[in-house]
Amino acid sequence: MNSLPRPDIGPFADTPEKRWVGVSFGAAAVGYDGVAALQREVGESLLAGIRHLGPPPARMLDLGAGTGHFSGLLVAAFPTAECLALDIAEGMLRFLRSHRPGADGMGLVVGDAEALPLADESVDLIFSNMAFQWCERLDRAISECCRVLRPGGRLAFSTFGEATLGELRMAWRAVDGYTHVNAFATRRSVEQELRAQGFTKIRLDARTLRRGYPSVLALMKELKALGARNLTRNRPRHLLSRHTLERVSEAYGRLPGMASAVTASFEVLTALVEK
Ligand SMILES: C[S@@+](CC[C@H](N)C(=O)[O-])C[C@H]1O[C@@H](n2cnc3c(N)ncnc32)[C@H](O)[C@@H]1O
């Protein structure tokens, strides 16, 4: 399929507009846990990877904590550590405070991963599950983690890789010239950035999870319910018509292997590193 011409709106056309990220996730907070099965699966294996890695932290940060599912599990795994749950979406932290057992003992911080409101070398462990793909600049988020970690501190994060939602991206390309799916990081760029920041003991994994959906519309609805709306600068600013949605469904169905079932790929990158 050929790409249609697209407006020239600069190098960040496919990255999310930050001012809307907090709003979108805040609005999704109430329903988020009910639809975040993939995020949970990824986070559980990330957490398993750090449980027995090095000494227990004194201070840990759940970065992009969302509803705090993993903040709670971090507290259970490291009960003597102080836990900070930080998110750009105030609505997420409000939900965490009123629904997550143990929230009273956590420090809740509204903040941006790309400009952490934390002192240099003040944290021993940073856990971040499925949040970095929402940053405008992943390199800034990684360098902020490096800044706030104490020497010997650990960073464990997961994010989406470039193949994520490749089918949906391709189907939309046949329909219009807008961006409908964020650009995600490549494994190579993540590795380069971790090395550039001086992280050591780098363990970086990439795996692709595939999920089936009853229809393309069901896939798009799930993304919306997760708060994972299309917030790219080159997104369409008008409502999508029924006809447009039918066209994208048809284009999806013409992709190889998609004639009888709608499958979406999610490339998950996970990194465990030490400062
Ligand atoms: C997919 S949710 C994951 C939530 C949680 N970590 C989990 O695994 O359930 C992504 C979270 O990252 C937050 N987020 C996105 N961009 C962020 C940023 N620049 N700084 C801090 N949090 C951010 C969103 O508000 C959202 O709560």
Side-chain angles (χ1 to χ4, degrees):
M1 282 174 207
N2 293 324
S3 296
L4 297 174
R6 49 187 292 173
D8 179 13
I9 56 166
F12 294 113
D14 296 343
T15 58
E17 262 192 280
K18 195 190 291 277
R19 67 195 161 122
W20 294 116
V21 172
V23 174
S24 179
F25 277 103
V30 175
Y32 178 85
D33 285 337
V35 283
L38 184 133
Q39 285 70 10
R40 197 156 311 152
E41 181 182 329
V42 172
E44 274 160 15
S45 79
L46 189 64
L47 188 61
I50 58 165
R51 250 177 226 281
H52 306 292
L53 203 71
R59 196 169 193 232
M60 57 194 175
L61 168 66
D62 184 5
L63 181 47
T67 60
H69 175 76
F70 288 103
S71 320
L73 294 181
L74 282 166
V75 170
F78 303 110
T80 57
E82 178 193 353
C83 181
L84 299 177
L86 182 146
D87 203 286
I88 202 166
E90 199 180 335
M92 281 289 193
L93 295 180
R94 224 179 286 127
F95 182 90
L96 189 164
R97 191 173 53 208
S98 51
H99 289 80
R100 191 66 56 203
D104 287 350
M106 295 176 198
L108 306 186
V109 185
V110 179
D112 181 358
E114 293 176 69
L116 289 172
L118 299 173
D120 296 356
E121 301 190 357
S122 58
V123 174
D124 305 289
L125 169 67
I126 300 176
F127 176 92
S128 182
N129 187 48
M130 295 274 103
F132 281 177
Q133 68 273 14
W134 291 102
C135 288
E136 239 164 44
R137 298 259 313 262
L138 180 64
D139 58 334
R140 272 197 219 139
I142 291 177
S143 101
E144 277 295 88
C145 288
C146 188
R147 181 182 66 75
V148 304
L149 274 177
R150 295 195 177 110
R154 286 158 288 146
L155 164 64
F157 71 87
S158 60
T159 190
F160 282 133
E162 60 176 339
T164 300
L165 294 171
E167 304 88 353
L168 188 60
R169 185 181 288 115
M170 242 190 287
W172 270 114
R173 270 190 202 145
V175 173
D176 64 27
Y178 293 106
T179 302
H180 292 269
V181 178
N182 296 352
F184 298 109
T186 63
R187 180 192 168 129
R188 198 177 142 80
S189 65
V190 172
E191 185 167 354
Q192 276 174 348
E193 198 47 43
L194 288 167
R195 289 199 191 287
Q197 288 299 326
F199 279 108
T200 60
K201 299 187 186 166
I202 296 173
R203 284 201 269 152
L204 184 59
D205 283 328
R207 68 194 158 117
T208 300
L209 306 176
R210 291 200 169 76
R211 293 288 183 268
Y213 294 86
S215 65
V216 177
L217 203 57
L219 163 63
M220 285 163 49
K221 276 191 180 152
E222 182 182 287
L223 295 174
K224 191 171 162 191
L226 281 164
R229 289 161 177 269
N230 177 14
L231 303 172
T232 57
R233 286 175 173 71
N234 184 37
R235 67 186 181 277
R237 310 286 166 139
H238 51 267
L239 279 179
L240 299 173
S241 70
R242 199 177 161 145
H243 176 62
T244 305
L245 294 171
E246 279 165 12
R247 285 179 64 208
V248 77
S249 293
E250 283 161 18
Y252 209 112
R254 287 196 298 272
L255 295 172
M258 297 293 166
S260 55
V262 173
T263 310
S265 303
F266 297 88
E267 183 188 2
V268 176
L269 305 177
T270 49
L272 290 180
V273 300
E274 196 173 304
K275 177 172 170 185

